[in-house]
């Protein structure tokens, strides 16, 4: 009996790297499709004559569907896991991608973006759950491997603009259908593994006591979740400002071309990929809350300086901001999962989805402010957002989190 228990515990502590790499690769493809949308912004602005506010609305539809719906799908996944929703979600995104490439009217573009967003919303909670199940004892590292795929996919938006959409135009998006096909095949493999895990004692719900009204959540846990959502919300507004509008700031204030401006944004996003990867292992060693705090407070002096520096300083400062600010990307998810360990799908959707989806509201607001004032005003406003990091010290420490959840 003891030997069997030990074997089961060892299985739970084993990190399944093959599955982690597969779900990370699928995450890269999923978020690459999402990044096609902001990558097309300069093309729409020049050829369809869309306003900054309309570009903000495109970002709003994408982020509200891709993000705000995540905790909804996560909630139902916690109640009844459905492994094959993963490839189904990517198929829905592919349909949206086809419409996006062929649409010539603003409202048709919004409808296509809606499908891309829904497919992504289906993917993310179950993807986070797979990473959690395959993590073993290395939750920070596992979540970093998973999230770095998505962040790298998002970072490709400037490259897509510079090398695909500038020369090929809107229909260049059709080339991504081949990529999503590969993603669907990879997700079929992941889904089969996922389904097998649900049949094991470690992840099956059979034989477990089910509370009709759920399990009690400590009031301090609720406060911590609310504060964590606020912090991720503030960070997402900053990233939304950079991803959607900084390219126009570089073009207007520094006189860069579309292609040149995209490469600067890529530096920021690629640095964020590196930060995401290293943030998880650092949090495993130095604590979740400590890395959360460092990522925002450490980036604040650099974000405050960015709107005023000469062009030659932008790349090194941009790189440091991206690395430091996004080092807590995966850490925030793991911290939230440990706050609510029985609701992994919902809380993953809440942090990766709803909180980041609120950045869509920021994209619309920033677009309207850019039309009303100017791009530089928006960049200065964005530079203040990481100062919200001072509130991270109100979060419970890692040890306190374990105390609050030990009976869950």
């Amino acid at each position: 009996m003891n030997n069997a228990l030990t074997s089961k515990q060892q299985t739970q502590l084993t990190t399944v790297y093959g599955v982690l790499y597969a779900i990370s690769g699928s995450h890269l493809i999923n978020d690459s499709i999402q990044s096609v949308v902001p990558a097309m912004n300069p093309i729409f602005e020049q050829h369809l004559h869309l306003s900054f506010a309309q570009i903000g609305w495109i970002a709003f539809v994408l982020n509200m569907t891709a993000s705000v719906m995540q905790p909804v799908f996560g909630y139902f996944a916690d109640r009844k896991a459905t492994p094959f929703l993963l490839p189904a979600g990517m198929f829905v995104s592919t349909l949206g991608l086809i419409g996006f490439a062929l649409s010539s009217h603003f409202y048709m573009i919004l409808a296509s973006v809606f499908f891309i967003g829904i497919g992504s919303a289906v993917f993310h909670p179950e993807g986070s759950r797979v990473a959690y199940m395959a993590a073993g004892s290395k939750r920070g590292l596992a979540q970093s491997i998973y999230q770095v795929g998505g962040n790298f996919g998002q970072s490709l938006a400037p490259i897509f603009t510079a090398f695909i959409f500038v020369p090929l135009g809107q229909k260049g998006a059709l080339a991504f259908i081949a990529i999503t096909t590969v993603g669907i095949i990879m997700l079929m493999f992941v889904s089969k593994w996922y389904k097998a895990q649900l049949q094991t004692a470690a992840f099956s719900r059979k034989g477990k006591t089910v509370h009709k009204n759920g399990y009690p959540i400590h009031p301090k846990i609720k406060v911590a979740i609310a504060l964590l959502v606020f912090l991720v919300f503030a960070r997402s507004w900053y990233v939304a400002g950079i991803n959607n509008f900084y390219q126009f700031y570089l073009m207007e204030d520094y006189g860069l071309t579309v292609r040149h401006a995209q490469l600067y944004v890529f530096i920021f996003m690629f640095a964020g990929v590196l930060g995401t990867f290293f943030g998880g292992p650092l949090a495993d060693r130095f604590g979740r809350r400590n890395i959360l705090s460092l990522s925002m407070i450490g980036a604040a002096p650099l974000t405050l300086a960015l709107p005023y520096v000469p062009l030659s300083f932008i790349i090194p400062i941009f790189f440091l901001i991206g690395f430091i600010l996004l080092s807590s990307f995966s850490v925030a998810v793991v911290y939230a999962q440990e706050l609510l360990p029985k609701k992994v799908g919902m809380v993953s959707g809440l942090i990766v989805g709803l909180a980041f989806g609120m950045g869509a509201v920021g994209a619309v607001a920033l677009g309207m402010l850019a039309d009303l004032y100017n791009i530089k005003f928006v960049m200065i406003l964005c530079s203040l957002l990481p100062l919200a990091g001072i509130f991270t010290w109100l979060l419970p420490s890692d040890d306190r989190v374990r105390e609050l959840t030990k009976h869950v």
Side-chain angles (χ1 to χ4, degrees):
M1 187 73 170
N2 290 337
N3 290 336
L5 182 62
T6 301
S7 176
K8 185 182 293 185
Q9 290 173 337
Q10 288 175 344
T11 299
Q12 293 178 9
L13 293 174
T14 301
T15 304
V16 188
Y17 287 101
V19 170
L20 287 175
Y21 294 143
I23 196 65
S24 179
S26 303
H27 197 185
L28 186 156
I29 293 171
N30 179 86
D31 285 22
S32 292
I33 302 310
Q34 279 188 254
S35 72
V36 167
V37 178
M40 199 77 77
N41 286 345
I43 307 302
F44 288 150
E45 192 264 344
Q46 291 183 358
H47 297 285
L48 297 183
H49 308 293
L50 299 187
S51 67
F52 287 130
Q54 286 176 311
I55 289 172
W57 278 110
I58 291 173
F60 177 84
V61 171
L62 176 66
N63 289 328
M64 290 298 283
T65 52
S67 303
V68 174
M69 290 301 295
Q70 282 190 40
V72 177
F73 285 111
Y75 171 79
F76 287 107
D78 286 331
R79 296 173 65 88
K80 181 176 177 58
T82 310
F84 289 95
L85 274 179
L86 287 166
M90 188 160 291
F91 177 75
V92 172
S93 292
T94 303
L95 296 179
L97 181 66
I98 294 170
F100 187 72
L102 301 177
S103 298
S104 59
H105 190 277
F106 175 62
Y107 292 105
M108 289 299 294
I109 291 170
L110 291 183
S112 300
V113 168
F114 175 85
F115 277 93
I116 293 174
I118 288 295
S120 183
V122 171
F123 171 85
H124 278 101
E126 291 286 49
S128 289
R129 180 190 295 277
V130 168
Y132 185 86
M133 292 166 65
S137 61
K138 300 178 180 179
R139 290 181 182 170
L141 174 62
Q143 197 63 221
S144 285
I145 292 173
Y146 169 66
Q147 296 293 353
V148 79
N151 279 16
F152 186 67
Q154 292 176 8
S155 75
L156 295 175
I159 301 300
F160 294 158
T161 301
F163 297 105
I164 297 178
F165 300 129
V166 168
L168 298 180
Q170 186 178 348
K171 290 185 178 179
L174 292 173
F176 290 86
I177 296 173
I179 298 174
T180 60
T181 301
V182 173
I184 290 170
I185 294 171
M186 291 175 63
L187 286 173
M188 289 297 294
F189 159 74
V190 172
S191 295
K192 289 178 181 178
W193 178 87
Y194 183 1
K195 183 179 179 180
Q197 297 308 300
L198 293 175
Q199 296 171 350
T200 66
F203 298 103
S204 175
R205 296 179 184 273
K206 293 180 180 180
K208 292 184 178 180
T209 302
V210 178
H211 299 281
K212 292 182 180 180
N213 299 318
Y215 65 94
I217 301 175
H218 196 286
K220 290 185 178 180
I221 294 292
K222 296 179 182 179
V223 172
I225 288 290
L227 180 56
L228 185 63
V229 169
F230 166 73
L231 292 168
V232 176
F233 169 55
R235 188 180 63 194
S236 69
W237 269 53
Y238 183 82
V239 174
I242 296 299
N243 288 352
N244 290 286
F245 300 109
Y246 194 74
Q247 57 194 310
F248 299 111
Y249 174 63
L250 289 170
M251 292 160 62
E252 289 187 10
D253 279 46
Y254 293 91
L256 300 186
T257 64
V258 173
R259 179 172 290 183
H260 198 186
Q262 293 299 316
L263 296 178
Y264 277 75
V265 178
F266 175 72
I267 293 294
F268 169 80
M269 300 179 77
F270 182 72
V273 173
L274 296 178
T276 297
F277 180 76
F278 287 104
L282 288 172
D284 283 339
R285 181 170 183 179
F286 298 108
R288 322 285 189 220
R289 191 186 69 171
N290 292 339
I291 298 301
L292 284 168
S293 179
L294 178 63
S295 72
M296 296 190 73
I297 295 175
L302 297 171
T303 64
L304 291 171
L306 183 65
Y308 309 101
V309 299
L311 185 63
S312 59
F313 282 42
I314 290 178
I315 287 180
I317 291 178
F318 229 12
F319 183 88
L320 290 173
I321 291 173
F323 185 91
I324 297 170
L325 190 65
L326 291 175
S327 64
S328 63
F329 191 100
S330 60
V331 178
V333 179
V334 175
Y335 185 82
Q337 289 174 342
E338 292 179 349
L339 285 170
L340 293 173
K342 297 295 184 181
K343 297 183 180 291
V344 171
M346 187 192 73
V347 79
S348 298
L350 187 66
I351 297 303
V352 181
L354 180 60
F356 283 94
M358 291 300 99
V361 179
V364 174
L366 294 173
M368 291 179 174
L369 288 172
D371 285 335
L372 185 62
Y373 297 102
N374 54 56
I375 287 292
K376 186 164 187 176
F377 173 81
V378 168
M379 290 300 103
I380 292 172
L381 181 63
C382 286
S383 72
L384 302 174
L385 293 170
L387 291 174
I390 60 177
F391 294 108
T392 53
W393 291 106
L394 297 178
L395 292 170
S397 67
D398 293 28
D399 289 339
R400 182 59 176 153
V401 170
R402 283 189 283 271
E403 290 177 10
L404 293 172
T405 59
K406 65 182 178 181
H407 296 302
V408 174

